[in-house]
Amino acid sequence: MYNPETNSLKILPGSSPHLDSRLVICIEVDGSGRYWVGTDNGLAILDPDKNTIQHLREEEGLCHNNIMKMMQREDGKLWVATTDGLSVIDPVNQTITNLGEAEGLVPDELYDLREKEGTVYIGSVNGLILVTPPSDQSTPWHFFRYSEAQGFPSNDYKRNAGLLLNNGQLWFGTSPNNKLTILTQDPVTDTTPSPVYITGLRILDENPSFESNAAFLSYFETEDTLLSGVGKQVFTKNTLPPDSGYVFKNNFQWDSLSIPYRIPLGLKLPYNQNSLKFSYTNLSVLNRDKIAYRYILQGADIFWVYNKDISTSKTYFNLSPGMYTFKVESKINNGTWSTPAEFSFTILPPWWQTWWAYGIYGLLFIGGLLIADRFQKQRLIRIERRKAQVRELAQAKEIEKAYHELKTTQSQLIQAEKMASLGELTAGIAHEIQNPLNFVNNFSEVNLELIGEAEQEFDEGNQAVVKLILNDIRENEKKISHHGKRADDIVKGMLQHSRTSSGQKEPTDLNTLADEYLRLAYHGLRAKDKSFNADFKLEADENLPKVNAVPQDIGRVLLNLINNAFHAVQERNLSGFQNLTGLSDQENYKPTVIVSTKNLGDQIKIRVKDNGGGIPEEIKDKIFQPFFTTKPAGEGTGLGLSMSYDIITKGHGGQIKMETKEGEGTTFIILLPMN
């Protein structure tokens, strides 16, 4: 690279990481001052202003890396001739269009580029090619080749020597005969495309015969027309030429025959007749040495194949079952491809590849899967049964052990529940019995004092006073006896409650039982917590008859329900419960528990009602479940209501229900049958 201003020279060697080649074949300068350097390793684009080098190679879309010639046309596009086709580069849109055999540029080994009046002349290994670029995307490329057939001295124009003179003459050097071609004007060319025909078909390298006109016509007994493959002529079975109807041997199937070559249309071949040879031709009598062909078998080929030799046939071997269409095109001189001749046929699959065979395979496969699945399921079932038997045996032992432990625990919990109720009862009894004992003690002390006074008055001879004192002592003794009997009754009740229930029913006064346990429950709570205070009341039905019941069991139920009621009002009193309106009614709240009895005729109704906080909706269905409790851990066993439910329903054939409303309280209702 020579700089005339500084008279300096810079060499880019092939080992440079920028140029990547030691062989520079051609150089072109574009309108923006960039240098396009063609090498044997692609294009190198040098920008002297930016001091950068870019590369275009096959991996970027170039048709070949061996660059032979470049030329920039007036539209700014750069034409690059290579040894494997022509690349048209659009620097503005940054696109590359490659032209080769598929586009009609044959051959594709190009070595020189010259432009004259919009036509590009390309020196190639097989003649001088004229290219007329399309005016728009819908216009095809046009190619024409000058060769020895037009009187040119040679077909080899790969010397890369060309010149366009001012008078319009084009000079080209040729090789290997070292001659000069001077082109002053273009010869007249034929621009009319000639049709191409498929003229023959060989199957397994044999020419199948066509016989039996009658058999062919019998095929059309239900078909009225036959469309030929050449010229699109329509025949009926009445107007079909007598010598044109044939039937194919070897059980081949077809729809119709082409005229005049009698190639079967809609041919269906068995799977073992899968090697076919097609013959084709262009019927033009002029310039036959300039006829070119290309063909494609749709279903097997991906691209059009250019026929580089003079043969007019193509053979396909071992075609797989499927549908195929063979197409062939031809062109003369101007590079315009003719309308393709087509032939469609089908290779039938063998019976083991037909849809019904695959259906049978599918059914067999599904059947095999079902059998295997059934066998595997049975095997797994047997294994699981054996495992289940072992597990069940182990579980049975564990269940038996857990059952004994549960029974023991249950007995302990029931006893604990009884002892808890007994403890509360004992506390109430202790508090209750204290009153009559106080009376006994007080009146005893008073009597002692009165006896001393009586002795003194007796000594003094005041008999009248002595009589009065003795009357007071008599009255005090009556009171001592009354309160002593009261204490005795309380002790008897305690002993009766602590006694194990015999399960024998006896006539029981429920009013007396309710009054006794209401007071005992209250005093029991007072004994444990001196700050506890609540109103309680018994609303007894005076006409209530005695009922056959187990007194100890009914007593436990009443004590449990009354204790729960007192706990509920105490909890609300201590927590300052807010009602449903969100306002606290603590100032006006008065803890109250009411026990009532009523004769319903065939049933006795006992109600235990409190004005506590009520039971939440989400646990209403759980309160009679064993071991369910809302009390803190250690303060309840969760068996009280469960035992009460069993005593009433199972032991006495009655019912126990609950009515509650959050913020207003809870009512437990016991219904005992009269008999």
Side-chain angles (χ1 to χ4, degrees):
M1 297 177 63
Y2 174 70
N3 188 338
E5 296 180 358
T6 61
N7 194 25
S8 60
L9 186 65
K10 180 180 179 181
I11 298 176
L12 298 179
S15 60
S16 168
H18 298 288
L19 195 57
D20 292 344
S21 177
R22 290 186 175 274
L23 179 59
V24 177
I25 301 173
C26 55
I27 301 176
E28 186 73 18
V29 184
D30 64 13
S32 61
R34 293 181 301 180
Y35 295 92
W36 297 69
V37 180
T39 72
D40 61 348
N41 193 22
L43 276 172
I45 308 171
L46 282 68
D47 191 335
D49 295 332
K50 298 180 180 180
N51 195 26
T52 60
I53 296 179
Q54 294 179 326
H55 294 278
L56 282 179
R57 300 188 181 92
E58 291 183 24
E59 52 266 29
E60 285 81 29
L62 208 62
C63 62
H64 198 272
N65 285 340
N66 193 22
I67 311 300
M68 302 307 300
K69 188 69 175 181
M70 289 183 292
M71 177 186 69
Q72 187 174 30
R73 302 186 68 233
E74 292 182 358
D75 58 4
K77 296 180 180 179
L78 194 73
W79 289 44
V80 181
T82 73
T83 57
D84 193 22
L86 178 68
S87 293
V88 180
I89 303 174
D90 188 345
V92 177
N93 298 320
Q94 297 184 354
T95 61
I96 300 177
T97 302
N98 293 323
L99 301 177
E101 289 185 358
E103 291 73 27
L105 181 59
V106 182
D108 51 15
E109 295 185 37
L110 313 177
Y111 296 95
D112 200 358
L113 293 171
R114 300 294 162 182
E115 184 179 6
K116 174 184 175 183
E117 298 177 356
T119 301
V120 178
Y121 293 79
I122 304 176
S124 74
V125 73
N126 195 18
L128 188 63
I129 302 173
L130 279 67
V131 182
T132 303
S135 58
D136 51 48
Q137 293 183 352
S138 62
T139 305
W141 291 78
H142 291 283
F143 303 95
F144 179 75
R145 180 170 61 89
Y146 290 143
S147 63
E148 294 178 347
Q150 287 79 28
F152 278 61
S154 174
N155 287 340
D156 194 349
Y157 285 83
K158 65 177 184 180
R159 279 189 174 273
N160 198 14
L163 179 65
L164 175 62
L165 301 183
N166 294 332
N167 59 6
Q169 291 182 355
L170 282 165
W171 290 30
F172 286 96
T174 64
S175 173
N177 53 12
N178 300 321
K179 292 184 179 181
L180 177 65
T181 299
I182 301 176
L183 188 63
T184 58
Q185 62 181 14
D186 296 339
V188 179
T189 60
D190 182 10
T191 59
T192 303
S194 298
V196 63
Y197 302 99
I198 299 174
T199 59
L201 173 64
R202 294 179 66 88
I203 301 174
L204 296 179
D205 203 25
E206 294 182 0
N207 189 14
S209 61
F210 298 86
E211 299 175 353
S212 182
N213 179 51
F216 175 79
L217 290 179
S218 66
Y219 174 80
F220 287 94
E221 288 180 357
T222 58
E223 300 289 339
D224 292 333
T225 61
L226 169 65
L227 182 64
S228 71
V230 178
K232 303 301 180 183
Q233 297 171 299
V234 178
F235 299 93
T236 67
K237 63 181 181 180
N238 296 324
T239 61
L240 188 68
D243 59 347
S244 61
Y246 296 90
V247 73
F248 218 10
K249 281 185 176 180
N250 302 327
N251 295 322
F252 296 154
Q253 304 174 39
W254 65 95
D255 295 332
S256 57
L257 300 179
S258 66
I259 304 298
Y261 296 104
R262 303 184 182 95
I263 301 298
L265 303 180
L267 177 65
K268 296 179 181 178
L269 299 170
Y271 72 95
N272 56 356
Q273 307 288 336
N274 59 349
S275 294
L276 287 79
K277 179 179 181 180
F278 299 97
S279 300
Y280 49 86
T281 187
N282 186 309
L283 299 181
S284 174
V285 297
L286 300 175
N287 298 320
R288 293 197 59 82
D289 60 331
K290 302 177 181 62
I291 298 176
Y293 297 93
R294 66 175 181 179
Y295 55 82
I296 186 172
L297 181 60
Q298 293 178 345
D301 295 332
I302 300 177
F303 305 106
W304 285 87
V305 180
Y306 178 75
N307 190 357
K308 297 183 179 182
D309 51 33
I310 60 174
S311 65
T312 54
S313 63
K314 173 59 180 176
T315 303
Y316 290 93
F317 299 97
N318 299 323
L319 294 175
S320 301
M323 299 179 63
Y324 299 91
T325 298
F326 179 75
K327 293 183 179 182
V328 61
E329 297 178 352
S330 66
K331 67 174 182 177
I332 302 176
N333 292 336
N334 62 358
T336 301
W337 293 107
S338 65
T339 301
E342 300 182 9
F343 172 69
S344 298
F345 62 98
T346 302
I347 304 293
L348 299 175
W351 67 266
W352 59 84
Q353 292 182 359
T354 56
W355 64 268
W356 54 267
Y358 284 112
I360 294 175
Y361 301 154
L363 292 176
L364 292 176
F365 179 73
I366 294 173
L369 287 180
L370 293 176
I371 294 173
D373 180 67
R374 184 176 180 181
F375 174 78
Q376 184 67 12
K377 284 182 178 179
Q378 292 177 348
R379 177 175 172 271
L380 292 176
I381 288 173
R382 290 194 299 269
I383 294 174
E384 290 300 323
R385 281 178 179 172
R386 288 196 294 268
K387 292 182 179 178
Q389 291 174 353
V390 175
R391 288 197 300 267
E392 287 173 0
L393 183 60
Q395 288 174 357
K397 294 181 180 178
E398 292 294 329
I399 291 173
E400 184 179 4
K401 179 181 178 182
Y403 174 75
H404 290 302
E405 293 177 353
L406 180 61
K407 292 292 290 184
T408 303
T409 304
Q410 185 179 16
S411 300
Q412 293 174 352
L413 288 173
I414 292 174
Q415 186 64 29
E417 181 68 22
K418 290 181 179 179
M419 294 304 296
S421 62
L422 181 62
E424 294 181 355
L425 181 64
T426 303
I429 289 173
H431 190 275
E432 183 72 10
I433 207 173
Q434 188 66 38
N435 288 330
L437 288 178
N438 287 337
F439 280 109
V440 170
N441 292 333
N442 290 336
F443 284 116
S444 296
E445 292 176 0
V446 170
N447 282 348
L448 289 175
E449 292 177 359
L450 289 175
I451 291 172
E453 291 179 4
E455 291 177 348
Q456 185 178 354
E457 294 293 334
F458 180 78
D459 293 339
E460 294 177 358
N462 297 326
Q463 295 181 0
V465 175
V466 171
K467 289 182 178 181
L468 292 174
I469 293 173
L470 291 175
N471 287 333
D472 291 337
I473 291 173
R474 183 182 294 110
E475 292 298 324
N476 289 343
E477 286 298 326
K478 290 181 180 179
K479 293 179 181 179
I480 289 172
S481 177
H482 169 74
H483 289 290
K485 289 180 179 180
R486 180 183 171 191
D488 182 61
D489 291 340
I490 293 172
V491 171
K492 287 180 180 179
M494 180 186 70
L495 292 175
Q496 185 180 23
H497 180 81
S498 62
R499 221 174 26 243
T500 302
S501 173
S502 63
Q504 296 294 326
K505 296 180 181 179
E506 59 187 58
T508 304
D509 187 348
L510 296 180
N511 284 339
T512 302
L513 207 63
D515 177 64
E516 178 183 352
Y517 282 99
L518 179 61
R519 288 184 292 102
L520 289 177
Y522 174 76
H523 291 303
L525 288 174
R526 286 278 298 168
K528 290 192 295 183
D529 184 4
K530 299 298 182 182
S531 64
F532 171 74
N533 194 14
D535 287 347
F536 60 92
K537 181 169 60 173
L538 173 66
E539 296 177 350
D541 187 347
E542 299 298 333
N543 298 321
L544 194 70
K546 290 187 178 181
V547 177
N548 280 333
V550 182
Q552 295 90 342
D553 291 346
I554 298 297
R556 290 191 183 98
V557 173
L558 290 174
L559 184 62
N560 185 272
L561 296 179
I562 295 170
N563 277 335
N564 286 346
F566 278 128
H567 282 300
V569 297
Q570 183 184 24
E571 182 180 357
R572 176 173 177 179
N573 190 37
L574 294 176
S575 63
F577 186 87
Q578 291 186 344
N579 58 23
L580 297 179
T581 62
L583 302 176
S584 175
D585 55 357
Q586 188 70 10
E587 295 180 358
N588 301 323
Y589 178 64
K590 190 173 184 181
T592 304
V593 175
I594 300 174
V595 179
S596 63
T597 61
K598 189 173 183 180
N599 185 358
L600 300 180
D602 59 341
Q603 289 180 318
I604 300 298
K605 180 180 179 181
I606 305 174
R607 290 198 320 158
V608 179
K609 180 180 180 181
D610 66 71
N611 63 347
I615 297 176
E617 186 71 23
E618 59 269 16
I619 65 171
K620 284 173 58 177
D621 297 334
K622 302 178 182 179
I623 60 170
F624 290 113
Q625 296 179 3
F627 308 108
F628 178 79
T629 180
T630 58
K631 296 178 182 179
E635 296 187 14
T637 62
L639 290 173
L641 288 177
S642 174
M643 289 174 55
S644 300
Y645 182 85
D646 290 341
I647 289 172
I648 297 299
T649 59
K650 299 178 181 179
H652 292 80
Q655 302 178 47
I656 182 169
K657 300 185 293 184
M658 179 199 67
E659 297 176 353
T660 185
K661 189 173 183 180
E662 286 193 74
E664 296 185 7
T666 303
T667 300
F668 282 90
I669 300 172
I670 299 173
L671 295 174
L672 293 175
M674 188 67 71
N675 298 319

